Amino acid sequence: MCTAYHPATNMAGNCMEYIAFLLVLLPWTWSRGASGSSFFREQLRCDEFTKDQHSFLWRVRRDPSPPAYFFGTIHVPYTRVWDYIPDNAKQAFRNSENIFFELDLTDTYTISTLSNCQLLPHGDNLSNVLPNSLFQRLERHLEYVRVMMPTWMTEQQKGRGLYADYLFNAIAGNWQRKRPVWIMLMVNSLTETDIKSRGIPVLDLYLAQEAMRSNKRTGAVERVEEQCIPLNGLNFTQVLFALNQTLWQQESIRSGHHQRAYTTEDLIWHYNCGDLNSVIFKHDTAQVPNLLNTTVAANDISLAQEIDEYFREELIFKRNRRMASRVEEILNAYPNKSFFFAFGAGHFLGNYTVIELLKKKGFVIENIPVHEAVEGSAEEEAEVDLSWLREAEDLHNRRRDRNKNGRRRKKKKKNNEDDDGRPQQQQPQQQPVQPHRQFNDLWIPLEKNKY
């Protein structure tokens, strides 16, 4: 799904161009927050509104093996939350040699596939798909956004070279060729608050960049197709209803007749205060608009519930089962390695979560209090024997070479004869240079039809 981590929020337009832009924006460093997250939480007056303050960090006990960690993220600029993240979560990240995400958004194949899965088949145009009245309303709304966007952007964004025309084209460019469900997600994200947050990596992407800069090994537990297919699985009636309802909500907000049930600011406040409110984080994780609200007509409630249940099953519960299964495979296969899994916070909160599913499989998992130190150090991890990684790489290369042997023998036989059929003198064969392997390729093979 095409966002800075999920479909709809940060890269709903030209994904390749926008992700390239985000990758160079790293104005803050790990040294921020050195004074501790508690000071910043006090400034939010969290105690006055939430009874208990928790962390979004969980430990998987693997004694005597190194621990593994789960860390819940939200899809907002990392600068809005970084100072409030407890120091032990940052230390757990530094201590862990292997960092896993839902998807690898630094990979060009992932980004291009996310972009392509949004397109209508056979080069079709949205004007041929949507009812004319709905298409015209969509055109008017996007023109409104385009005109207003310069007034929404901050001076800081402009100072970093991010301008309204560029940003609008990055998000909404080529929108006429996209599937209606992706247009729905795009419309839901084209708000003043969200526009003001563009141009800084979201938390997930920032962690991925930091892992790469620290030479940590990274991986992903999901394939890009597994995030695309569910959204494209809605039937045409459901898609039209969802797009019409989302567009109507935005039109009502513009006219002042409607307000969002919660805003990005609400999400950030709950996260920074350590308030594990599962409802608000579920919406951030699924990245789809809330269709079940007071604006839904009585005769449309059943359809809205049907779509809501579909999204909940496909984008939360089914993914939780798949992610838990793959985490189990990784932890069991590499008991002596340390891991840090950074997923959307909604995957760890509520019912049928990744944590709940793994506990049922026998894993001991505990939430780590904000002020509790985590064991281990980056220096200790640096001494870990990495022969297993070299062995995995050698095995991968041997399998690849065996697949090519047949073609090489045929080519060699042909080249060893002159035009008149006489054998040629054998020349020493130069060893091919093996390309650098990506760490993702060295993990457990994930069968295409297993999940």
Side-chain angles (χ1 to χ4, degrees), residues 284-300:
D284 177 67
T285 298
Q287 292 291 287
V288 294
N290 178 21
L291 300 178
L292 279 171
N293 53 61
T294 57
T295 67
V296 179
N299 57 334
D300 290 329

Side-chain angles (χ1 to χ4, degrees), residues 110-351:
T110 298
I111 303 305
S112 62
T113 303
L114 287 173
S115 181
N116 291 334
C117 82
Q118 299 181 32
L119 300 178
L120 287 164
H122 314 301
D124 207 347
N125 193 287
L126 197 61
S127 61
N128 300 325
V129 176
L130 296 181
N132 188 53
S133 59
L134 182 57
F135 184 81
Q136 290 180 351
R137 285 172 54 209
L138 179 60
E139 278 189 314
R140 289 194 295 270
H141 181 71
L142 293 180
E143 177 61 18
Y144 164 81
V145 171
R146 189 191 67 79
V147 171
M148 293 299 298
M149 192 171 285
T151 67
W152 292 349
M153 299 188 66
T154 67
E155 291 302 319
Q156 290 80 1
Q157 287 174 311
K158 296 173 184 177
R160 290 193 299 267
L162 186 62
Y163 290 96
D165 288 344
Y166 173 83
L167 185 56
F168 181 82
N169 289 329
I171 300 171
N174 205 27
W175 65 269
Q176 297 94 336
R177 289 200 55 214
K178 293 184 179 179
R179 297 173 183 261
V181 67
W182 296 95
I183 297 296
M184 173 197 70
L185 299 174
M186 180 188 74
V187 168
N188 192 57
S189 69
L190 283 172
T191 65
E192 180 176 0
T193 301
D194 287 341
I195 293 301
K196 288 182 183 298
S197 69
R198 303 292 179 131
I200 298 176
V202 293
L203 181 57
D204 314 70
L205 182 58
Y206 175 69
L207 290 174
Q209 292 169 335
E210 283 299 315
M212 293 174 64
R213 296 206 312 177
S214 303
N215 294 318
K216 295 180 181 295
R217 291 180 294 277
T218 61
V221 298
E222 290 188 290
R223 294 186 294 271
V224 59
E225 296 81 3
E226 293 168 336
Q227 290 205 8
C228 287
I229 293 174
L231 282 171
N232 291 341
L234 286 175
N235 64 47
F236 190 63
T237 300
Q238 293 171 327
V239 169
L240 282 187
F241 173 82
L243 175 57
N244 179 71
Q245 185 66 18
T246 302
L247 185 56
W248 188 89
Q249 288 179 17
Q250 296 302 321
E251 292 167 338
S252 298
I253 291 173
R254 282 168 45 190
S255 64
H257 295 145
H258 179 67
Q259 290 185 338
R260 286 174 176 255
Y262 70 89
T263 66
T264 302
E265 294 301 317
D266 296 328
L267 174 71
I268 292 172
W269 186 89
H270 281 278
Y271 187 78
N272 286 343
C273 283
D275 181 16
L276 304 186
N277 182 321
S278 64
V279 175
I280 194 168
F281 294 115
K282 288 291 185 184
H283 283 293
D284 177 67
T285 298
Q287 292 291 287
V288 294
N290 178 21
L291 300 178
L292 279 171
N293 53 61
T294 57
T295 67
V296 179
N299 57 334
D300 290 329
I301 290 179
S302 61
L303 181 56
Q305 289 175 333
E306 183 181 295
I307 297 172
D308 182 71
E309 290 170 2
Y310 175 86
F311 283 146
R312 189 185 301 114
E313 173 61 27
E314 293 292 332
L315 302 182
I316 300 292
F317 297 150
K318 184 177 288 187
R319 291 180 61 211
N320 284 354
R321 294 192 293 269
R322 182 166 59 229
M323 293 161 71
S325 178
R326 290 175 182 172
V327 168
E328 179 188 19
E329 289 183 68
I330 292 170
L331 294 182
N332 287 339
Y334 304 103
N336 297 321
K337 311 304 166 191
S338 58
F339 293 91
F340 186 95
F341 297 93
F343 303 155
H347 292 294
F348 303 129
L349 305 173
N351 299 319

